Amino acid sequence: MLSFRQLVCFVLSLLSFISVFYSVGKLGIFLATPIRPLQHQATPAFPTERTQLRAALFSLLLNSIWVVLFVLQHSAMRADLVKRFWKAIGLELAERSLYNIASSYCLLLLLKNWKSSASQYRLWFFDVEENKTLWWVMVGAHVLSWIVVYGGSLMVDLPELIGLKHVYYDINDLAPPMSYKSRDLQDYYQRYRHPSFVGLSIVLWFTNGMTIDRCVLAVVWTLYMYLAWNTTKVDLKYQQHQLERKRAELARVTK
């Protein structure tokens, strides 16, 4: 029979699963939605009047706050102090779930409160409504990138990443799931848990209309991914070794 702690952690793991897929789905729609052309002018000039400039800067400031908030939450909740806090209150089993729930909530806050004027200055703009080929290229690139991201998530043990496996192993009196992985894989996961830097960069930068606030979002998150995912040459050798093992196994099976 489940203990109260296990029941709470199980509910949190389910909430983590739902919130991650919902928030990432909303993000995918937000990033892939094309920007419509302006009715009065092809490319708006940068605002020079004080009122227009003030409104543009205020909107940019608010959007930047939500972007930075997501980065701060993503980093702060990985600290040892936070992990010790969850352990002190008996929720160390739900640490991964709570991290995902908080990340999803910050992401949904960003999407809900994102303020971008239709007449905002654009660094570039391509009318995809007039060019169907370009529209399909953009949609195809986003769909393919998210397939790579989700596929990579499955490869790095999605149930463990979401937090479901922690609860399942605890209910069955097993050791934490990470303890069953090799030391090399554990070290690799400590430095890199998010899949496909290239795929996420594409969905951030490949847009038909790049506004200043959207550019801030792309720059901050791209730099954060580049700095936070500090993989090493050892990680590359480990991946190459695993790829060679998989190829050898497939070769034996197909014979």
Side-chain angles (χ1 to χ4, degrees):
M1 184 176 180
L2 296 181
S3 65
F4 179 75
R5 180 181 69 93
Q6 290 174 334
L7 181 60
V8 171
C9 293
F10 175 70
V11 173
L12 289 173
S13 66
L14 290 180
L15 183 59
S16 169
F17 177 82
I18 296 171
S19 59
V20 165
F21 277 86
Y22 178 73
S23 60
V24 173
K26 296 279 287 187
L27 175 65
I29 295 174
F30 171 77
L31 295 176
T33 301
I35 296 178
R36 295 182 177 275
L38 299 175
Q39 296 180 354
H40 302 293
Q41 48 185 345
T43 303
F46 193 82
T48 55
E49 296 183 7
R50 180 174 298 182
T51 55
Q52 294 179 346
L53 182 60
R54 184 180 302 172
L57 292 178
F58 183 73
S59 176
L60 179 62
L61 176 61
L62 288 180
N63 292 335
S64 300
I65 290 174
W66 296 116
V67 172
V68 174
L69 175 64
F70 180 82
V71 172
L72 292 177
Q73 175 275 325
H74 236 55
S75 300
M77 290 192 68
R78 294 171 56 189
D80 292 334
L81 179 63
V82 178
K83 296 179 180 180
R84 289 196 297 268
F85 172 76
W86 297 132
K87 187 175 182 179
I89 63 176
L91 288 178
E92 70 275 10
L93 186 62
E95 175 193 331
R96 173 57 60 177
S97 299
L98 291 167
Y99 180 86
N100 291 324
I101 292 171
S103 300
S104 301
Y105 184 69
C106 288
L107 184 56
L108 290 174
L109 277 177
L110 182 150
L111 299 176
K112 181 180 179 181
N113 295 284
W114 190 267
K115 305 295 183 183
S116 183
S117 174
S119 60
Q120 187 178 153
Y121 178 76
R122 300 168 181 179
L123 301 178
W124 69 74
F125 176 77
F126 304 101
D127 191 354
V128 294
E129 293 183 354
E130 296 293 333
N131 191 332
K132 294 300 181 181
T133 302
L134 183 60
W135 186 85
W136 280 110
V137 169
M138 191 181 85
V139 171
H142 278 255
V143 171
L144 181 60
S145 297
W146 283 116
I147 290 175
V148 172
V149 170
Y150 276 106
S153 298
L154 294 174
M155 294 178 64
V156 297
D157 198 350
L158 182 61
E160 190 273 335
L161 188 63
I162 295 294
L164 288 169
K165 186 175 284 189
H166 296 78
V167 182
Y168 176 79
Y169 275 43
D170 188 75
I171 293 175
N172 291 275
D173 294 324
L174 299 173
M178 192 62 69
S179 63
Y180 293 95
K181 304 182 187 299
S182 66
R183 174 57 60 182
D184 292 336
L185 185 57
Q186 291 181 34
D187 294 339
Y188 175 74
Y189 278 171
Q190 288 181 356
R191 292 184 290 269
Y192 184 87
R193 290 308 304 269
H194 294 284
S196 187
F197 173 84
V198 175
L200 291 175
S201 298
I202 289 175
V203 298
L204 286 172
W205 287 98
F206 194 29
T207 175
N208 71 309
M210 180 62 77
T211 58
I212 295 179
D213 50 5
R214 174 70 180 268
C215 184
V216 170
L217 171 68
V219 168
V220 173
W221 282 7
T222 303
L223 287 177
Y224 178 71
M225 289 190 295
Y226 180 79
L227 297 175
W229 300 356
N230 51 347
T231 52
T232 63
K233 292 182 178 180
V234 176
D235 298 326
L236 180 59
K237 291 181 179 179
Y238 172 78
Q239 289 183 320
Q240 291 175 339
H241 175 66
Q242 294 300 317
L243 181 59
E244 292 173 358
R245 287 184 56 188
K246 293 296 183 183
R247 287 175 175 173
E249 292 175 1
L250 289 174
R252 289 197 300 268
V253 171
T254 54
K255 285 183 179 180

